[in-house]
Amino acid sequence: MDKPVSKHRQTVTKGQLEVLNLLFNFRYGTNDLFAAYFGKKDRSFVHKRMAILLERGLVSRRFDSSYRLHGKPGVYYLTAEGARQLQEARDVELNVKSIYKDKDLSEQFVGYSLELLTIYIQLRRHYGDTLGFFTRAILNHEDYEYFPQPLPNAYMTLKVGGNEKHFFLETLHDDQPWFVAVRKILQHIKYAEDGDWNETELNQPAILLVCESERLAKRVQKRIPKALADSYDEDTIEFAVTAKSELLGEKTAIWRTEVDGGQLRLEELDEWTSE
């Protein structure tokens, strides 16, 4: 009689691989976010899929009494075995060591990671296959020396006809000191001035700033023109700002451009900037 196959070496399905890939790229996820990603209102299939991945040791979950007390959902993250199976399925070398501390990272970091996944799902819902979205986990894996350091929260592309638009996306939060937001603005301006992106022979990516609150978005929008006025290369640097509530709300999201006070609807983002 043949020996049973080890649970760690059973075939991973396409849907399971998508979950593992999301967890590698965004570090954390929840049942609600996975259901939104797959476009399912019924979460029962997500519960089943995650139960299988948990049982096979490919993912683990953060959940304790404090989560229950505050009504927070359990948060999944990739295990080393899950990363190895993802690596095997994708036939690429992944930095497995980078995930070893995921079970112990701060709740603030977890929250920021879930927020970025939420933003990605919203943009993916709108742009579909025309959207490319590359998190720090992906960018760290590749040797992209011409990218800004520290890396942006995400590098984003949109295919428009035969062209491709390029963006750096950053998230800004109310619980961070104000200088953090200012520093990110100035870092992107300096990066554009230094000309490292010229190596790609593509137009300079525009900067998308997603702010946690409307108040922070207005403050950031007011600060950008001053920072640009001090730059000798201001004409090549483009910023757009939005509040998270606008981006994720039911109404059409608005991006505020910094110089002329103009506004762009979400569906106009792929028409902004010239290639």
Side-chain angles (χ1 to χ4, degrees):
M1 179 182 296
D2 293 334
K3 293 182 179 180
V5 177
S6 167
K7 68 178 181 179
H8 294 309
R9 290 304 168 194
Q10 296 173 14
T11 302
V12 181
T13 68
K14 179 181 177 182
Q16 291 169 345
L17 279 175
E18 282 194 78
V19 172
L20 298 182
N21 198 56
L22 282 175
L23 289 177
F24 180 80
N25 293 341
F26 293 90
R27 308 293 286 270
Y28 301 96
T30 65
N31 283 330
D32 283 347
L33 287 176
F34 294 141
Y37 173 83
F38 288 106
K40 302 289 186 180
K41 293 183 179 180
D42 181 4
R43 295 191 309 166
S44 60
F45 95 104
V46 174
H47 286 288
K48 292 177 182 177
R49 179 169 293 171
M50 299 314 298
I52 293 171
L53 293 174
L54 278 169
E55 193 275 331
R56 293 177 59 185
L58 304 183
V59 303
S60 192
R61 190 172 74 140
R62 291 169 61 134
F63 187 82
D64 56 32
S65 57
S66 67
Y67 279 50
R68 185 176 291 106
L69 181 65
H70 295 97
K72 294 169 56 178
V75 177
Y76 298 95
Y77 59 92
L78 196 63
T79 65
E81 179 60 29
R84 280 190 285 269
Q85 291 225 21
L86 179 62
Q87 179 175 260
E88 185 177 305
R90 287 171 48 179
D91 194 25
V92 293
E93 191 72 26
L94 300 178
N95 184 8
V96 176
K97 291 182 179 179
S98 67
I99 68 171
Y100 287 162
K101 295 182 179 179
D102 283 359
K103 68 180 189 305
D104 298 318
L105 292 176
S106 70
E107 290 297 311
Q108 182 188 62
F109 183 85
V110 174
Y112 291 172
S113 300
L114 294 176
E115 175 187 67
L116 189 61
L117 176 54
T118 305
I119 290 169
Y120 165 66
I121 291 170
Q122 174 74 341
L123 294 173
R124 179 176 177 268
R125 181 183 297 127
H126 186 86
Y127 293 114
D129 293 338
T130 66
L131 173 69
F133 200 90
F134 309 90
T135 65
R136 286 174 178 168
I138 303 171
L139 299 178
N140 271 322
H141 173 64
E142 302 292 346
D143 186 21
Y144 294 136
E145 295 181 354
Y146 50 83
F147 269 76
Q149 297 295 330
L151 289 168
N153 290 121
Y155 163 58
M156 188 174 125
T157 63
L158 284 175
K159 293 179 181 178
V160 185
N163 296 323
E164 194 170 62
K165 309 294 185 180
H166 304 266
F167 306 88
F168 293 136
L169 185 145
E170 302 278 14
T171 57
L172 302 173
H173 302 92
D174 294 341
D175 60 2
Q176 295 172 323
W178 171 239
F179 74 81
V180 172
V182 174
R183 185 170 59 193
K184 283 193 176 183
I185 294 169
L186 296 177
Q187 284 173 341
H188 279 289
I189 291 174
K190 184 178 185 304
Y191 170 76
E193 291 174 341
D194 290 344
D196 292 349
W197 186 259
N198 294 341
E199 180 181 332
T200 68
E201 299 183 353
L202 300 168
N203 278 8
Q204 185 73 27
I207 316 302
L208 305 178
L209 301 176
V210 181
C211 299
E212 183 176 357
S213 65
E214 179 71 23
R215 176 177 174 275
L216 181 58
K218 289 179 178 179
R219 193 178 182 189
V220 167
Q221 187 184 10
K222 189 178 294 186
R223 183 65 176 82
I224 291 172
K226 182 180 183 303
L228 285 172
D230 296 333
S231 169
Y232 62 78
D233 203 19
E234 61 178 300
D235 292 338
T236 66
I237 309 168
E238 297 178 285
F239 285 87
V241 182
T242 192
K244 186 170 69 172
S245 59
E246 289 185 316
L247 182 60
L248 303 180
E250 294 299 323
K251 296 181 180 179
T252 302
I254 296 295
W255 295 92
R256 302 180 183 90
T257 54
E258 82 295 337
V259 175
D260 57 5
Q263 295 184 342
L264 296 164
R265 295 190 302 275
L266 186 61
E267 62 267 23
E268 295 173 327
L269 189 61
D270 54 2
E271 301 171 8
W272 183 48
T273 76
S274 58
E275 184 64 29

